[in-house]
Amino acid sequence: MSEQIEQQVIVPDELGSKRLDQVAASCFPDFSRARLQEWIKSGDLLVNGGQKKPKDKLIGGETLKLSVEVENEDQWLAEDIPLEIIYEDDTILVINKQAGLVVHPAAGNYSGTLLNGLLFHYPEIASVPRAGIVHRLDKDTTGLMVVAKTLAAHTDLVSQLQDRSVTREYEAITIGTMTAGGTVNEPIGRHPLHRLRMGVVHSGKPSVTHYRVLEKFPSHTHVRCQLETGRTHQIRVHMSHIRHPLVGDDLYAGRLRIPKGCSEEMEQALRGFKRQALHARKLGVMHPATDEYMEWEISAPEDFLGMLAVLKKYKTES
């Protein structure tokens, strides 16, 4: 399956003297610069009926013709996976992702993912890159995600993520009692020794996490984190880096830590919490179609709230 795109524009005089890829990005705002560059190189975007290079300069008045067939995401199966929809219109949808749901197919997870579910519920989303997925949550992280239902919305949301204008707030339960909030500004990249892990490495990408304390417990802290950047495992890596890894995070917290003298109930709760205690609570974006700022908030799931309840109980008993 595929979608045929046919568009034609006359280059405005004021865009004369600019590179073709720059002019194309201005004339065809529904598509990303990278995608337009590919189409220029492949001959799907022509100038006055002829092929040019992305860096070639224009003078203004030329006719740009885009004629391209966009392949759908039909290499992945559509599967009837329940989705909790928080908001939906013709352009975007916002979901509350449950724990255990992988976002995108990869080695070892070719089915049963959010992408498979999106293709089932919205077959037309197959023509959007990655079925509209513009950002990810880890398999066992819960909370809000925005999905683009059109190519134009996808381009717009990716741009917002790149310029760091998307609001993303998380709640987490960390090991150890924090004294105060702060900011972690440390680059994140692939761990040099453990390929399944990310880490703070000098060659990594710039990564910034702001955090503040919501409540302190004798051996744990309930925090709220706000992302400036969106690196893989960012909050998990940064909290581990400051020696406050997340409860239940086998990858970054190491062996299970049971506080001395804690109740049997609390010990059972900690042993039974089998995922990182991380929840994407708040999400805010500029709507791609209306330019109106929209924001959603969703409370943490029962297992997270149950863990907090046990910690509160232990706090009052201590």
Side-chain angles (χ1 to χ4, degrees):
M1 296 176 62
S2 60
E3 178 186 0
Q4 186 68 31
I5 296 173
E6 300 279 351
Q7 292 187 24
Q8 183 170 304
V9 298
I10 304 295
V11 177
D13 291 339
E14 60 266 24
L15 293 180
S17 79
K18 291 186 178 295
R19 289 167 47 124
L20 171 56
D21 55 358
Q22 294 174 319
V23 174
S26 178
C27 292
F28 302 106
D30 289 353
F31 313 110
S32 67
R33 174 82 64 89
R35 181 169 279 229
L36 288 165
Q37 286 176 333
E38 289 179 8
W39 291 340
I40 292 169
K41 292 174 184 176
S42 64
D44 294 310
L45 200 167
L46 300 177
V47 181
N48 290 335
Q51 189 170 355
K52 287 185 175 292
K53 296 177 182 178
K55 65 181 180 181
D56 288 346
K57 298 285 185 68
L58 301 186
I59 60 173
E62 297 94 338
T63 298
L64 301 187
K65 184 175 182 181
L66 177 62
S67 178
V68 64
E69 194 172 31
V70 180
E71 289 298 320
N72 288 348
E73 295 273 0
D74 56 3
Q75 70 267 42
W76 308 117
L77 291 174
E79 296 179 82
D80 188 3
I81 296 169
L83 302 177
E84 185 181 347
I85 307 298
I86 303 302
Y87 172 83
E88 180 181 5
D89 59 29
D90 292 338
T91 306
I92 62 173
L93 64 111
V94 176
I95 68 163
N96 180 25
K97 189 187 87 65
Q98 68 265 38
L101 180 62
V102 174
V103 169
H104 191 276
N109 288 294
Y110 291 109
S111 62
T113 72
L114 173 61
L115 183 144
N116 300 113
L118 289 168
L119 290 174
F120 178 87
H121 294 286
Y122 307 96
E124 66 280 5
I125 214 169
S127 62
V128 184
R130 296 186 179 274
I133 295 169
V134 294
H135 66 119
R136 302 189 188 191
L137 294 179
D138 295 338
K139 175 183 176 182
D140 288 324
T141 298
T142 58
L144 297 170
M145 289 182 62
V146 62
V147 176
K149 294 175 71 175
T150 68
L151 199 54
H154 184 274
T155 301
D156 188 279
L157 290 172
V158 168
S159 177
Q160 290 187 52
L161 286 161
Q162 289 173 341
D163 66 22
R164 304 184 183 184
S165 62
V166 176
T167 299
R168 286 176 291 173
E169 285 189 7
Y170 293 70
E171 280 189 47
I173 304 172
T174 69
I175 298 169
T177 305
M178 291 187 183
T179 54
T183 296
V184 185
N185 186 351
E186 297 287 351
I188 290 176
R190 186 67 60 182
H191 195 285
L193 301 177
H194 305 284
R195 302 308 296 168
L196 293 178
R197 295 172 56 179
M198 307 300 287
V200 169
V201 293
H202 292 302
S203 60
K205 295 180 179 179
S207 309
V208 181
T209 306
H210 306 284
Y211 65 96
R212 65 185 178 92
V213 173
L214 296 178
E215 188 171 4
K216 299 177 185 178
F217 304 104
S219 304
H220 299 84
T221 310
H222 182 201
V223 297
R224 184 160 292 168
C225 300
Q226 183 160 356
L227 295 183
E228 269 195 37
T229 52
R231 309 304 175 204
T232 301
H233 299 174
Q234 180 171 319
I235 292 173
R236 299 165 66 187
V237 171
H238 274 168
M239 292 299 101
S240 178
H241 180 71
I242 62 172
R243 301 175 187 269
H244 289 286
L246 305 190
V247 166
D249 193 343
D250 291 341
L251 196 57
Y252 296 103
R255 63 179 180 82
L256 179 64
R257 307 179 203 183
I258 302 297
K260 292 180 180 179
C262 76
S263 66
E264 183 178 342
E265 180 186 14
M266 182 171 170
E267 180 175 343
Q268 288 180 347
L270 289 169
R271 290 189 184 280
F273 204 92
K274 299 297 186 182
R275 68 178 186 90
Q276 66 268 6
L278 184 60
H279 173 69
R281 182 183 185 90
K282 184 184 290 186
L283 176 68
V285 301
M286 296 297 292
H287 192 284
T290 66
D291 284 337
E292 173 192 2
Y293 180 74
M294 300 186 73
E295 190 173 88
W296 302 269
E297 194 165 348
I298 194 82
S299 62
E302 289 184 9
D303 64 342
F304 191 106
L305 297 176
M307 188 74 247
L308 281 178
V310 172
L311 291 174
K312 292 175 187 288
K313 186 176 179 181
Y314 176 59
K315 178 180 179 180
T316 58
E317 292 173 349
S318 302

mmCIF file of all heavy atoms in Angstrom, residues 7-45:
data_model
loop_
_atom_site.group_PDB
_atom_site.id
_atom_site.type_symbol
_atom_site.label_atom_id
_atom_site.label_comp_id
_atom_site.label_asym_id
_atom_site.label_seq_id
_atom_site.Cartn_x
_atom_site.Cartn_y
_atom_site.Cartn_z
ATOM 1 N N GLN A 7 2.025 17.768 -5.767
ATOM 2 C CA GLN A 7 1.923 19.188 -5.416
ATOM 3 C C GLN A 7 2.813 19.997 -6.350
ATOM 4 O O GLN A 7 3.877 19.528 -6.777
ATOM 5 C CB GLN A 7 2.340 19.417 -3.958
ATOM 6 C CG GLN A 7 1.392 18.811 -2.934
ATOM 7 C CD GLN A 7 1.741 19.213 -1.511
ATOM 8 O OE1 GLN A 7 2.369 20.245 -1.274
ATOM 9 N NE2 GLN A 7 1.335 18.387 -0.549
ATOM 10 N N GLN A 8 2.372 21.238 -6.652
ATOM 11 C CA GLN A 8 3.149 22.106 -7.530
ATOM 12 C C GLN A 8 3.060 23.541 -7.033
ATOM 13 O O GLN A 8 1.980 24.010 -6.652
ATOM 14 C CB GLN A 8 2.626 21.997 -8.968
ATOM 15 C CG GLN A 8 3.415 22.809 -9.984
ATOM 16 C CD GLN A 8 3.011 22.480 -11.409
ATOM 17 O OE1 GLN A 8 3.067 21.323 -11.827
ATOM 18 N NE2 GLN A 8 2.596 23.507 -12.168
ATOM 19 N N VAL A 9 4.195 24.244 -6.997
ATOM 20 C CA VAL A 9 4.213 25.645 -6.551
ATOM 21 C C VAL A 9 5.169 26.444 -7.425
ATOM 22 O O VAL A 9 6.088 25.895 -8.039
ATOM 23 C CB VAL A 9 4.658 25.775 -5.070
ATOM 24 C CG1 VAL A 9 3.710 25.058 -4.133
ATOM 25 C CG2 VAL A 9 6.085 25.266 -4.877
ATOM 26 N N ILE A 10 4.921 27.751 -7.475
ATOM 27 C CA ILE A 10 5.839 28.690 -8.124
ATOM 28 C C ILE A 10 6.702 29.316 -7.026
ATOM 29 O O ILE A 10 6.175 29.801 -6.019
ATOM 30 C CB ILE A 10 5.085 29.803 -8.886
ATOM 31 C CG1 ILE A 10 4.115 29.183 -9.905
ATOM 32 C CG2 ILE A 10 6.074 30.748 -9.567
ATOM 33 C CD1 ILE A 10 4.794 28.414 -11.011
ATOM 34 N N VAL A 11 8.012 29.303 -7.208
ATOM 35 C CA VAL A 11 8.920 29.839 -6.186
ATOM 36 C C VAL A 11 8.764 31.364 -6.105
ATOM 37 O O VAL A 11 8.949 32.069 -7.113
ATOM 38 C CB VAL A 11 10.384 29.493 -6.518
ATOM 39 C CG1 VAL A 11 11.323 30.113 -5.476
ATOM 40 C CG2 VAL A 11 10.567 27.978 -6.584
ATOM 41 N N PRO A 12 8.410 31.894 -4.935
ATOM 42 C CA PRO A 12 8.285 33.352 -4.781
ATOM 43 C C PRO A 12 9.631 34.052 -5.014
ATOM 44 O O PRO A 12 10.685 33.488 -4.712
ATOM 45 C CB PRO A 12 7.841 33.512 -3.313
ATOM 46 C CG PRO A 12 7.301 32.169 -2.917
ATOM 47 C CD PRO A 12 8.080 31.163 -3.698
ATOM 48 N N ASP A 13 9.576 35.259 -5.558
ATOM 49 C CA ASP A 13 10.813 36.005 -5.853
ATOM 50 C C ASP A 13 11.666 36.209 -4.609
ATOM 51 O O ASP A 13 12.905 36.210 -4.689
ATOM 52 C CB ASP A 13 10.475 37.358 -6.477
ATOM 53 C CG ASP A 13 9.896 37.218 -7.882
ATOM 54 O OD1 ASP A 13 10.130 36.161 -8.508
ATOM 55 O OD2 ASP A 13 9.209 38.157 -8.335
ATOM 56 N N GLU A 14 11.025 36.385 -3.454
ATOM 57 C CA GLU A 14 11.795 36.665 -2.235
ATOM 58 C C GLU A 14 12.635 35.468 -1.782
ATOM 59 O O GLU A 14 13.521 35.605 -0.924
ATOM 60 C CB GLU A 14 10.878 37.117 -1.087
ATOM 61 C CG GLU A 14 9.804 36.120 -0.676
ATOM 62 C CD GLU A 14 8.487 36.358 -1.382
ATOM 63 O OE1 GLU A 14 8.490 36.948 -2.485
ATOM 64 O OE2 GLU A 14 7.457 35.950 -0.826
ATOM 65 N N LEU A 15 12.350 34.285 -2.343
ATOM 66 C CA LEU A 15 13.158 33.107 -2.001
ATOM 67 C C LEU A 15 14.295 32.890 -2.998
ATOM 68 O O LEU A 15 15.048 31.921 -2.894
ATOM 69 C CB LEU A 15 12.284 31.847 -1.939
ATOM 70 C CG LEU A 15 11.261 31.793 -0.803
ATOM 71 C CD1 LEU A 15 10.467 30.489 -0.845
ATOM 72 C CD2 LEU A 15 11.942 31.952 0.552
ATOM 73 N N GLY A 16 14.417 33.803 -3.987
ATOM 74 C CA GLY A 16 15.515 33.726 -4.939
ATOM 75 C C GLY A 16 16.851 33.829 -4.228
ATOM 76 O O GLY A 16 16.952 34.473 -3.168
ATOM 77 N N SER A 17 17.889 33.203 -4.777
ATOM 78 C CA SER A 17 19.261 33.151 -4.250
ATOM 79 C C SER A 17 19.435 32.137 -3.118
ATOM 80 O O SER A 17 20.528 31.945 -2.618
ATOM 81 C CB SER A 17 19.754 34.522 -3.760
ATOM 82 O OG SER A 17 19.234 34.849 -2.485
ATOM 83 N N LYS A 18 18.345 31.459 -2.721
ATOM 84 C CA LYS A 18 18.448 30.422 -1.683
ATOM 85 C C LYS A 18 18.652 29.055 -2.324
ATOM 86 O O LYS A 18 18.336 28.827 -3.485
ATOM 87 C CB LYS A 18 17.201 30.404 -0.806
ATOM 88 C CG LYS A 18 17.051 31.617 0.097
ATOM 89 C CD LYS A 18 15.867 31.451 1.033
ATOM 90 C CE LYS A 18 15.731 32.625 1.983
ATOM 91 N NZ LYS A 18 16.877 32.727 2.924
ATOM 92 N N ARG A 19 19.189 28.122 -1.508
ATOM 93 C CA ARG A 19 19.376 26.746 -1.963
ATOM 94 C C ARG A 19 18.038 26.070 -2.225
ATOM 95 O O ARG A 19 17.029 26.405 -1.599
ATOM 96 C CB ARG A 19 20.122 25.935 -0.888
ATOM 97 C CG ARG A 19 21.566 26.292 -0.708
ATOM 98 C CD ARG A 19 22.114 25.680 0.581
ATOM 99 N NE ARG A 19 21.740 24.257 0.713
ATOM 100 C CZ ARG A 19 22.613 23.269 0.887
ATOM 101 N NH1 ARG A 19 23.906 23.536 0.915
ATOM 102 N NH2 ARG A 19 22.203 22.032 1.040
ATOM 103 N N LEU A 20 18.042 25.108 -3.137
ATOM 104 C CA LEU A 20 16.812 24.402 -3.479
ATOM 105 C C LEU A 20 16.186 23.730 -2.260
ATOM 106 O O LEU A 20 14.965 23.806 -2.076
ATOM 107 C CB LEU A 20 17.094 23.351 -4.562
ATOM 108 C CG LEU A 20 15.953 22.372 -4.893
ATOM 109 C CD1 LEU A 20 14.680 23.102 -5.288
ATOM 110 C CD2 LEU A 20 16.383 21.398 -5.991
ATOM 111 N N ASP A 21 16.996 23.068 -1.407
ATOM 112 C CA ASP A 21 16.405 22.381 -0.253
ATOM 113 C C ASP A 21 15.783 23.369 0.729
ATOM 114 O O ASP A 21 14.774 23.070 1.372
ATOM 115 C CB ASP A 21 17.414 21.460 0.442
ATOM 116 C CG ASP A 21 18.687 22.165 0.871
ATOM 117 O OD1 ASP A 21 18.842 23.370 0.604
ATOM 118 O OD2 ASP A 21 19.553 21.498 1.469
ATOM 119 N N GLN A 22 16.360 24.580 0.831
ATOM 120 C CA GLN A 22 15.777 25.611 1.706
ATOM 121 C C GLN A 22 14.459 26.124 1.132
ATOM 122 O O GLN A 22 13.483 26.313 1.875
ATOM 123 C CB GLN A 22 16.769 26.775 1.868
ATOM 124 C CG GLN A 22 18.043 26.408 2.602
ATOM 125 C CD GLN A 22 19.038 27.551 2.607
ATOM 126 O OE1 GLN A 22 19.223 28.243 1.602
ATOM 127 N NE2 GLN A 22 19.699 27.772 3.737
ATOM 128 N N VAL A 23 14.449 26.341 -0.186
ATOM 129 C CA VAL A 23 13.225 26.809 -0.848
ATOM 130 C C VAL A 23 12.126 25.758 -0.733
ATOM 131 O O VAL A 23 10.961 26.071 -0.440
ATOM 132 C CB VAL A 23 13.499 27.130 -2.326
ATOM 133 C CG1 VAL A 23 12.197 27.483 -3.050
ATOM 134 C CG2 VAL A 23 14.492 28.279 -2.455
ATOM 135 N N ALA A 24 12.495 24.487 -0.937
ATOM 136 C CA ALA A 24 11.520 23.399 -0.860
ATOM 137 C C ALA A 24 10.909 23.309 0.532
ATOM 138 O O ALA A 24 9.705 23.092 0.680
ATOM 139 C CB ALA A 24 12.183 22.074 -1.235
ATOM 140 N N ALA A 25 11.745 23.499 1.555
ATOM 141 C CA ALA A 25 11.242 23.429 2.927
ATOM 142 C C ALA A 25 10.229 24.534 3.195
ATOM 143 O O ALA A 25 9.266 24.351 3.940
ATOM 144 C CB ALA A 25 12.405 23.523 3.919
ATOM 145 N N SER A 26 10.429 25.684 2.561
ATOM 146 C CA SER A 26 9.500 26.801 2.721
ATOM 147 C C SER A 26 8.221 26.586 1.900
ATOM 148 O O SER A 26 7.122 26.903 2.365
ATOM 149 C CB SER A 26 10.187 28.102 2.289
ATOM 150 O OG SER A 26 9.307 29.197 2.393
ATOM 151 N N CYS A 27 8.376 26.031 0.713
ATOM 152 C CA CYS A 27 7.220 25.863 -0.188
ATOM 153 C C CYS A 27 6.383 24.629 0.143
ATOM 154 O O CYS A 27 5.197 24.577 -0.186
ATOM 155 C CB CYS A 27 7.702 25.771 -1.628
ATOM 156 S SG CYS A 27 8.397 27.300 -2.287
ATOM 157 N N PHE A 28 7.009 23.629 0.767
ATOM 158 C CA PHE A 28 6.296 22.393 1.120
ATOM 159 C C PHE A 28 6.442 22.136 2.625
ATOM 160 O O PHE A 28 7.142 21.203 3.047
ATOM 161 C CB PHE A 28 6.846 21.205 0.323
ATOM 162 C CG PHE A 28 6.769 21.356 -1.166
ATOM 163 C CD1 PHE A 28 7.905 21.620 -1.917
ATOM 164 C CD2 PHE A 28 5.556 21.243 -1.828
ATOM 165 C CE1 PHE A 28 7.841 21.761 -3.298
ATOM 166 C CE2 PHE A 28 5.471 21.378 -3.215
ATOM 167 C CZ PHE A 28 6.616 21.639 -3.941
ATOM 168 N N PRO A 29 5.816 22.977 3.464
ATOM 169 C CA PRO A 29 6.030 22.903 4.922
ATOM 170 C C PRO A 29 5.489 21.636 5.579
ATOM 171 O O PRO A 29 5.792 21.369 6.738
ATOM 172 C CB PRO A 29 5.291 24.145 5.442
ATOM 173 C CG PRO A 29 4.239 24.413 4.411
ATOM 174 C CD PRO A 29 4.865 24.037 3.101
ATOM 175 N N ASP A 30 4.687 20.858 4.849
ATOM 176 C CA ASP A 30 4.138 19.631 5.431
ATOM 177 C C ASP A 30 5.180 18.522 5.553
ATOM 178 O O ASP A 30 4.928 17.504 6.203
ATOM 179 C CB ASP A 30 2.965 19.104 4.590
ATOM 180 C CG ASP A 30 1.735 19.976 4.724
ATOM 181 O OD1 ASP A 30 1.759 20.898 5.562
ATOM 182 O OD2 ASP A 30 0.765 19.742 3.980
ATOM 183 N N PHE A 31 6.344 18.722 4.912
ATOM 184 C CA PHE A 31 7.350 17.662 4.888
ATOM 185 C C PHE A 31 8.658 18.146 5.501
ATOM 186 O O PHE A 31 9.011 19.317 5.410
ATOM 187 C CB PHE A 31 7.587 17.187 3.445
ATOM 188 C CG PHE A 31 6.320 16.932 2.683
ATOM 189 C CD1 PHE A 31 5.929 17.758 1.637
ATOM 190 C CD2 PHE A 31 5.492 15.875 3.027
ATOM 191 C CE1 PHE A 31 4.745 17.535 0.940
ATOM 192 C CE2 PHE A 31 4.307 15.637 2.347
ATOM 193 C CZ PHE A 31 3.938 16.470 1.304
ATOM 194 N N SER A 32 9.396 17.225 6.091
ATOM 195 C CA SER A 32 10.650 17.583 6.751
ATOM 196 C C SER A 32 11.727 17.909 5.711
ATOM 197 O O SER A 32 11.669 17.470 4.556
ATOM 198 C CB SER A 32 11.134 16.432 7.633
ATOM 199 O OG SER A 32 11.514 15.315 6.848
ATOM 200 N N ARG A 33 12.737 18.692 6.127
ATOM 201 C CA ARG A 33 13.848 19.046 5.233
ATOM 202 C C ARG A 33 14.562 17.786 4.740
ATOM 203 O O ARG A 33 14.916 17.671 3.562
ATOM 204 C CB ARG A 33 14.826 19.964 5.987
ATOM 205 C CG ARG A 33 16.118 20.303 5.248
ATOM 206 C CD ARG A 33 15.950 21.421 4.256
ATOM 207 N NE ARG A 33 15.604 22.661 4.899
ATOM 208 C CZ ARG A 33 16.502 23.547 5.356
ATOM 209 N NH1 ARG A 33 17.783 23.324 5.231
ATOM 210 N NH2 ARG A 33 16.098 24.684 5.906
ATOM 211 N N ALA A 34 14.772 16.820 5.647
ATOM 212 C CA ALA A 34 15.481 15.591 5.275
ATOM 213 C C ALA A 34 14.719 14.802 4.213
ATOM 214 O O ALA A 34 15.303 14.291 3.251
ATOM 215 C CB ALA A 34 15.700 14.731 6.520
ATOM 216 N N ARG A 35 13.396 14.740 4.376
ATOM 217 C CA ARG A 35 12.584 14.004 3.421
ATOM 218 C C ARG A 35 12.596 14.702 2.056
ATOM 219 O O ARG A 35 12.700 14.057 1.012
ATOM 220 C CB ARG A 35 11.154 13.885 3.950
ATOM 221 C CG ARG A 35 10.209 13.115 3.050
ATOM 222 C CD ARG A 35 8.901 12.813 3.749
ATOM 223 N NE ARG A 35 9.037 11.660 4.618
ATOM 224 C CZ ARG A 35 8.178 10.628 4.625
ATOM 225 N NH1 ARG A 35 7.149 10.627 3.817
ATOM 226 N NH2 ARG A 35 8.345 9.627 5.431
ATOM 227 N N LEU A 36 12.512 16.038 2.066
ATOM 228 C CA LEU A 36 12.544 16.791 0.811
ATOM 229 C C LEU A 36 13.889 16.622 0.099
ATOM 230 O O LEU A 36 13.949 16.511 -1.127
ATOM 231 C CB LEU A 36 12.256 18.270 1.078
ATOM 232 C CG LEU A 36 10.802 18.590 1.455
ATOM 233 C CD1 LEU A 36 10.701 19.993 2.050
ATOM 234 C CD2 LEU A 36 9.877 18.462 0.241
ATOM 235 N N GLN A 37 14.969 16.589 0.871
ATOM 236 C CA GLN A 37 16.295 16.380 0.268
ATOM 237 C C GLN A 37 16.362 15.016 -0.425
ATOM 238 O O GLN A 37 16.943 14.896 -1.508
ATOM 239 C CB GLN A 37 17.384 16.486 1.341
ATOM 240 C CG GLN A 37 17.643 17.913 1.800
ATOM 241 C CD GLN A 37 18.645 17.980 2.930
ATOM 242 O OE1 GLN A 37 18.802 17.044 3.705
ATOM 243 N NE2 GLN A 37 19.340 19.095 3.037
ATOM 244 N N GLU A 38 15.771 14.003 0.198
ATOM 245 C CA GLU A 38 15.733 12.676 -0.421
ATOM 246 C C GLU A 38 14.976 12.724 -1.745
ATOM 247 O O GLU A 38 15.405 12.127 -2.742
ATOM 248 C CB GLU A 38 15.049 11.681 0.525
ATOM 249 C CG GLU A 38 15.859 11.319 1.758
ATOM 250 C CD GLU A 38 15.108 10.361 2.660
ATOM 251 O OE1 GLU A 38 14.032 9.870 2.254
ATOM 252 O OE2 GLU A 38 15.595 10.114 3.784
ATOM 253 N N TRP A 39 13.846 13.425 -1.753
ATOM 254 C CA TRP A 39 13.021 13.496 -2.958
ATOM 255 C C TRP A 39 13.710 14.293 -4.065
ATOM 256 O O TRP A 39 13.546 14.008 -5.250
ATOM 257 C CB TRP A 39 11.657 14.088 -2.615
ATOM 258 C CG TRP A 39 10.807 13.165 -1.772
ATOM 259 C CD1 TRP A 39 10.957 11.814 -1.636
ATOM 260 C CD2 TRP A 39 9.689 13.523 -0.975
ATOM 261 N NE1 TRP A 39 10.005 11.316 -0.782
ATOM 262 C CE2 TRP A 39 9.202 12.343 -0.371
ATOM 263 C CE3 TRP A 39 9.042 14.724 -0.692
ATOM 264 C CZ2 TRP A 39 8.109 12.323 0.493
ATOM 265 C CZ3 TRP A 39 7.954 14.721 0.164
ATOM 266 C CH2 TRP A 39 7.491 13.528 0.749
ATOM 267 N N ILE A 40 14.484 15.328 -3.677
ATOM 268 C CA ILE A 40 15.248 16.082 -4.669
ATOM 269 C C ILE A 40 16.290 15.161 -5.310
ATOM 270 O O ILE A 40 16.443 15.112 -6.535
ATOM 271 C CB ILE A 40 15.940 17.306 -4.019
ATOM 272 C CG1 ILE A 40 14.881 18.342 -3.570
ATOM 273 C CG2 ILE A 40 16.923 17.947 -4.999
ATOM 274 C CD1 ILE A 40 15.447 19.432 -2.685
ATOM 275 N N LYS A 41 17.003 14.405 -4.488
ATOM 276 C CA LYS A 41 18.062 13.512 -4.991
ATOM 277 C C LYS A 41 17.494 12.379 -5.851
ATOM 278 O O LYS A 41 18.139 11.936 -6.801
ATOM 279 C CB LYS A 41 18.846 12.927 -3.810
ATOM 280 C CG LYS A 41 19.666 13.960 -3.048
ATOM 281 C CD LYS A 41 20.292 13.351 -1.799
ATOM 282 C CE LYS A 41 21.026 14.393 -0.980
ATOM 283 N NZ LYS A 41 21.561 13.821 0.285
ATOM 284 N N SER A 42 16.281 11.921 -5.514
ATOM 285 C CA SER A 42 15.696 10.800 -6.253
ATOM 286 C C SER A 42 14.944 11.247 -7.511
ATOM 287 O O SER A 42 14.487 10.410 -8.284
ATOM 288 C CB SER A 42 14.737 10.018 -5.344
ATOM 289 O OG SER A 42 13.634 10.831 -4.951
ATOM 290 N N GLY A 43 14.812 12.570 -7.686
ATOM 291 C CA GLY A 43 14.111 13.071 -8.860
ATOM 292 C C GLY A 43 12.610 13.161 -8.690
ATOM 293 O O GLY A 43 11.884 13.406 -9.662
ATOM 294 N N ASP A 44 12.117 12.989 -7.460
ATOM 295 C CA ASP A 44 10.680 13.103 -7.200
ATOM 296 C C ASP A 44 10.250 14.558 -7.045
ATOM 297 O O ASP A 44 9.058 14.864 -7.104
ATOM 298 C CB ASP A 44 10.308 12.321 -5.934
ATOM 299 C CG ASP A 44 10.510 10.820 -6.112
ATOM 300 O OD1 ASP A 44 10.019 10.290 -7.126
ATOM 301 O OD2 ASP A 44 11.153 10.194 -5.259
ATOM 302 N N LEU A 45 11.224 15.453 -6.840
ATOM 303 C CA LEU A 45 10.934 16.886 -6.766
ATOM 304 C C LEU A 45 11.756 17.558 -7.858
ATOM 305 O O LEU A 45 12.990 17.590 -7.794
ATOM 306 C CB LEU A 45 11.292 17.438 -5.373
ATOM 307 C CG LEU A 45 10.638 18.766 -4.985
ATOM 308 C CD1 LEU A 45 10.813 19.024 -3.485
ATOM 309 C CD2 LEU A 45 11.199 19.935 -5.766
#
